[in-house]
Every structure is written in C-alpha cells, then in structure tokens.
Amino acid sequence: MQPLRPLRSTDPREIAGYVLHGRLGEGGQGTVFFGTSPAGVKVAVKLLHDGFGSGSEMRRFFDRELAALQRVAPFCTARVLAADPGADPPYVVSEYVEGPSVLQAVRERGVLRGADLDRLAIATATALGAIHAAGVVHRDFKPANVLLAADGPRVIDFGIARPLDASSATVSGAVGTPAYMAPEQLSGDPAGPPMDMFAWGCTIAFAANGRPPFGHEQLPAVIYRIMHAEPDLGALGGRLREYVAACLAKDPARRPSAQQVLLGLMEDRPGGAGSPYLMTPPRPMAPPQPQGAVSTPPPGRKDTTRPGQERARTVVRSVVVVAAAAALVVAAVFVTTNLGRGSGPTPSPTPSTATTPAASAAGQLSRTPRLGLEVWQDGAASPLSLSDLDRPVTTVAMKRSPFELRFPTLKKDEALQVCAWTDDSVFSITDGGKVADHPCFRPGTGIADYEYGSGRLYLNNEGHNYLVGTRVSHQSDTQDKVFVSRFFRDKADTAVADQRQDVYLTVFRDLDGDGTFKRAGEGEYEYVILHFPT
C-alpha cells in the first residue's frame, strides 16, 4: 500500500458515503485521501480545497480536468468511480491502485533492468499516448506518479493536468517537480505533450540508474543542467537509451511523440525493422556532447532560457506599515525570525526607498535577522540589506529567475506560513494578536502548490502558502527550503522571470505554539521585500 498519513483534526471522515482513513497526498488543487466504499472497495478520494469556490476560474479548470480524465482510456490510469463538481467542496472518487510507485520501488528494491525496465518504458509510453490522444497534458509525470500495479504500470495524479483545448495560461508555466521538468516548462513558455515526453525520459533514466538524468543536488544546479547540459543516462543502453536521449532534447520540436516511442521500442527485437523515428527524425538530432557541456540552440530556434519580453515599467505605489509590528501596504511572505525589539507602529520602507543608499547603509547581512531566511538564485545566496535596524525590514536584490527560500529546519508537522502581495493591498499584524484572527495565517486554511519543495507562490490573503510536510524539502541537517518558479495572483500565473513588481513577504512560524504573533525576544514573523529590477 502507498504511504498513508493520518487524518488531521479538520479533515472530513466521510465523503458521499465513502469512509476516509488517511491522506495519500496534497497539492495546490486539493487533498487525496485513501477511503473505502460501503462495500469495502478501496478508493482514492480527491477533495478540492476551500479556495475552489463556485464559479471560480479554478473550478472551471476542475470541470475541464474531470471531463479530460473521463476521456482517457481506463487501462492506463485510475478509473473515475464518482464525482460531483457542484458539491461543496467538489470531489472525485477514483479507483485505488494497489502497488508501489516507481520512486518507492527503486528506493526499496533497487534499479530496474532488462525486461522489467522495457516493460515500464513501453507501458508508460502507451499510457502517455492514451493521455495525449484524449487531449490532455499530464504536466507532472515522474516516478512518484507511476504505480506498479499487478496488472501493469498505471499513471496517476492528474492534479495539475490540463486539457489541450484550455487557454494557454493553463497549459504553460513551471508547475511540477523540477528534476523532471522540461526546459520550456521552467522558462514559462507554452507547453504541450513534448513536455510529458521529456519527463518520461527523465523517469526511465531514474528507473535505470536510481537518480534523475540531471541530478538531484541543489535546485539551481539541477535547473542549470536541464537548461544547458547533456543528461547522464548511466546504465541505459540500446534502443531505449536512444529514445530516452531523444526525449531529453532541449527543443520540444525535436522530441518524439509517445506513439513514435512506443512503435520504435516495440520494433526493437531480433530481425525488427528499426525505428522510423530514429532513422528519419522529423528534425536533425543535436550531436552528442560531453557530460556537462553547454548546449547551444540551433539556428532559428527560440532560446527557451531567455526570460519573457520586457514589459512596461510598473509604477509602484507607496507602502505604509501600521500597528505594533508594522503593517505593509502590500505584500508579504511572512518569514519567522528570532530577533525583535519594542512595540508600536512604525512606517515601513516603500518600494521606492527600499534600495536607496540610506536604506542599504543600515546593514548588509547573509540571512534575515529573526527567522534566518536566505534567498538563493542560480546557486548563490542573494545579497540582503537591512533597511531598519530597530524594527528590521529586509530587502533582497533579486534576479528575474526562479529562487529558493531557505530557513532553519521545521519540526515535525510544524508549518511555515508565508503570505505575499504586490503593491495594492493592505496588510497589518499586531504584536501579540491571535493568528486565527488573520485571514492569511489562520491555521489549516489556504492553498499551496508545493510538493517536495517546489511550486508557485500565491499573492493574496486567501490562497496563502501553508508550508508543511512534503511541501518543503531538506537542504541540510539544519536547513529546509522551498523552490519558487511562479507567482499566482488574481487568476493570473506569472513566471518569476517575468516579474516586474516588488513582492512583499511576511513569514510566520509559531515557535512557542501559543497561536499568537511575537515580535519581541524570539520573534516569530518577519517582513521581506523581494526587489525586482524594473
């Protein structure tokens, strides 16, 4: 049985007659529970978060996703048994697939070889072919989302799948798990089935070698390799190695389709005619390069590593901080720290003054003063400046690229609550105030599109980022982290590379567990300004 986490006190115990027994996973759209039918049949119940209200854009995405799921051939996925998009909240009940994931199997039993590896490759290519034929892009194909059932591999977790006929905003963007994400996905370009084929190549390489082809070290290093370096295919050999390499081409137009992979692998037998794709590829394959070499885009090809076109300069309005600890007029991913002084209202630096010489002269530091937060981009820590020594507000000089938030290791089941805004909302925290009274920090509420430390940052006070458990990843024995590649605000999804406004963060960590905000002594929250060049 897949790993099962216990139900939380706020979780339902029954949905539409199905009894829930534990949590299987959670993502930005909802939570998946393990349950049983009245007849004792095992099921997976997907329950949408409260943020997916009636008539919302995300609810429409859910309706499209459900229709898309029902178009996919049932032999390769978990069958939908019941669903109610109009329920409050909406739910989907699907077949529970018994068996370990490829990730779990490789970790517990070792890598796959010979016929087992070939069977996995052919079955998953078949599944992706059926998924794409139904007009769907999975968008998070990876070892954890392929289950080794008794009747063959099954592809699961369409939590971020989107129909191909949805708007471009719903089929593009860096949503997924970084080690298995295609270059166009990381750069925020429109993405389609070739993105899944890139992830297929990464998954088969992992099954054969026990590691992703672009490594699993610090995320900036992995992202750099995906964008620029050749994959490490290790023990893969023969025709399968050729197809995996073809699927890992930087240019999506050069990757074979699922059907081409399937036909080619099935012809890889004694006396077979060979693969028509590898013999006459639709576009010339890039010549192999030494491991670690930088890949140069061919003539005429769009460089997917380049950020989006420059937008008009954003006029940033003033920000005022009110109340005992300071109230930012805009934004705030709340990072908890352990230093603070006094009380009383104090104005906060506005975006226009945050980077002035007077502000930066207050002090340079390597991490925020209370919670010890660090911001990393491109494999290096970003420079920080302390703009107010008495009531610290930290400004981070940002590049237009994905970044990591690093912080001291969270205790078991402890959450880091992150709220973020741009320049047109008002936010205040009162020292000693109750966390449950604030809409952004109320425990157990909000949504977070994070899994194993990767995802998007929600810029409003309803869909806040409640980071706990698998929503963070471990950097070291003393430090956890989350990876941020996109911002989501007012139904718009923006790549970090396209961000043209400062982002204001307020981060909270309930160190003493009393459910109130503390600024003095071991401060529990912190203001951070992510300053993007205009």
Side-chain angles (χ1 to χ4, degrees), residues 442-523:
R442 190 172 295 122
T445 61
I447 53 180
D449 193 358
Y450 282 90
E451 184 182 20
Y452 297 104
S454 74
R456 72 182 75 180
L457 204 60
Y458 285 83
L459 306 183
N460 57 55
N461 64 0
E462 295 176 351
H464 72 262
N465 308 274
Y466 190 82
L467 308 179
V468 66
T470 57
R471 291 181 183 174
V472 301
S473 61
H474 295 296
Q475 169 64 26
S476 67
D477 291 338
T478 60
Q479 203 173 47
D480 288 343
K481 63 185 178 182
V482 294
F483 173 76
V484 178
S485 58
R486 303 191 68 79
F487 296 118
F488 187 86
R489 176 177 179 267
D490 295 337
K491 302 178 183 179
D493 208 3
T494 304
V496 173
D498 292 333
Q499 183 65 20
R500 296 296 186 271
Q501 289 178 283
D502 289 357
V503 173
Y504 299 79
L505 312 179
T506 309
V507 183
F508 170 69
R509 186 171 178 178
D510 195 1
L511 296 174
D512 58 8
D514 69 347
T516 63
F517 297 107
K518 297 287 192 305
R519 185 165 64 85
E522 230 181 280

Side-chain angles (χ1 to χ4, degrees), residues 191-457:
M195 171 176 62
D196 285 346
M197 298 313 299
F198 187 94
W200 176 86
C202 292
T203 297
I204 300 304
F206 171 85
N209 301 305
R211 63 182 184 278
F214 298 99
H216 47 63
E217 293 83 7
Q218 296 181 4
L219 287 177
V222 173
I223 291 172
Y224 178 83
R225 291 180 193 136
I226 289 174
M227 302 298 287
H228 302 288
E230 292 300 302
D232 177 7
L233 300 184
L236 275 172
R239 184 65 53 80
L240 182 56
R241 182 185 181 99
E242 295 176 34
Y243 270 100
V244 168
C247 286
L248 297 180
K250 308 299 183 189
D251 185 350
R254 295 183 175 184
R255 297 174 204 148
S257 67
Q259 183 180 21
Q260 288 172 320
V261 168
L262 178 61
L263 292 175
L265 292 179
M266 291 178 67
E267 291 174 352
D268 185 17
R269 63 186 188 275
S275 163
Y277 173 80
L278 291 179
M279 292 171 64
T280 57
R283 297 193 185 184
M285 297 298 297
Q289 300 181 26
Q291 177 65 24
V294 174
S295 175
T296 303
R301 174 198 156 190
K302 178 183 177 183
D303 182 359
T304 57
T305 68
R306 185 178 56 194
Q309 295 180 350
E310 182 74 11
R311 298 177 181 174
R313 181 172 179 174
T314 304
V315 179
V316 183
R317 296 189 291 274
S318 297
V319 178
V320 180
V321 172
V322 230
L328 280 180
V329 170
V330 254
V333 175
F334 199 154
V335 183
T336 315
T337 51
N338 49 21
L339 182 123
R341 310 177 188 179
S343 61
T346 304
S348 167
T350 66
S352 59
T353 63
T355 55
T356 62
S360 59
Q364 299 294 322
L365 62 165
S366 59
R367 59 184 60 88
T368 58
R370 290 194 182 107
L371 296 183
L373 181 77
E374 299 173 13
V375 178
W376 284 67
Q377 290 186 290
D378 301 329
S382 300
L384 312 180
S385 62
L386 194 62
S387 54
D388 186 330
L389 292 176
D390 185 48
R391 294 174 178 83
V393 175
T394 305
T395 298
V396 186
M398 300 293 290
K399 303 174 184 177
R400 291 199 186 97
S401 63
F403 63 94
E404 289 179 355
L405 296 176
R406 299 185 183 182
F407 42 90
T409 305
L410 297 173
K411 299 175 184 176
K412 188 179 186 313
D413 296 327
E414 181 187 15
L416 188 77
Q417 294 175 252
V418 181
C419 288
W421 288 266
T422 48
D423 68 324
D424 56 1
S425 57
V426 178
F427 176 75
S428 64
I429 285 183
T430 301
D431 194 27
K434 293 182 179 179
V435 176
D437 291 339
H438 198 285
C440 191
F441 296 106
R442 190 172 295 122
T445 61
I447 53 180
D449 193 358
Y450 282 90
E451 184 182 20
Y452 297 104
S454 74
R456 72 182 75 180
L457 204 60

Side-chain angles (χ1 to χ4, degrees), residues 153-215:
R154 303 279 194 94
V155 177
I156 63 166
D157 195 357
F158 286 73
I160 57 176
R162 291 288 179 265
L164 293 178
D165 55 4
S167 67
S168 61
T170 68
V171 294
S172 65
V175 179
T177 303
Y180 300 90
M181 289 167 66
E184 66 270 23
Q185 200 174 4
L186 288 169
S187 62
D189 290 336
M195 171 176 62
D196 285 346
M197 298 313 299
F198 187 94
W200 176 86
C202 292
T203 297
I204 300 304
F206 171 85
N209 301 305
R211 63 182 184 278
F214 298 99

Side-chain angles (χ1 to χ4, degrees), residues 72-77 118-134 141 153-155 197 200 204 257-263 265-266:
V72 176
F75 64 83
C76 60
T77 63
D118 291 338
R119 187 178 300 112
L120 174 69
I122 291 173
T124 50
T126 302
L128 284 176
I131 290 168
H132 296 161
F141 187 87
R154 303 279 194 94
V155 177
M197 298 313 299
W200 176 86
I204 300 304
S257 67
Q259 183 180 21
Q260 288 172 320
V261 168
L262 178 61
L263 292 175
L265 292 179
M266 291 178 67

Side-chain angles (χ1 to χ4, degrees), residues 29-55:
Q29 197 183 77
T31 303
V32 181
F33 299 91
F34 171 71
T36 52
S37 72
V41 177
K42 297 176 181 179
V43 296
V45 180
K46 180 177 180 179
L47 192 66
L48 264 66
H49 289 310
D50 292 339
F52 292 82
S54 177

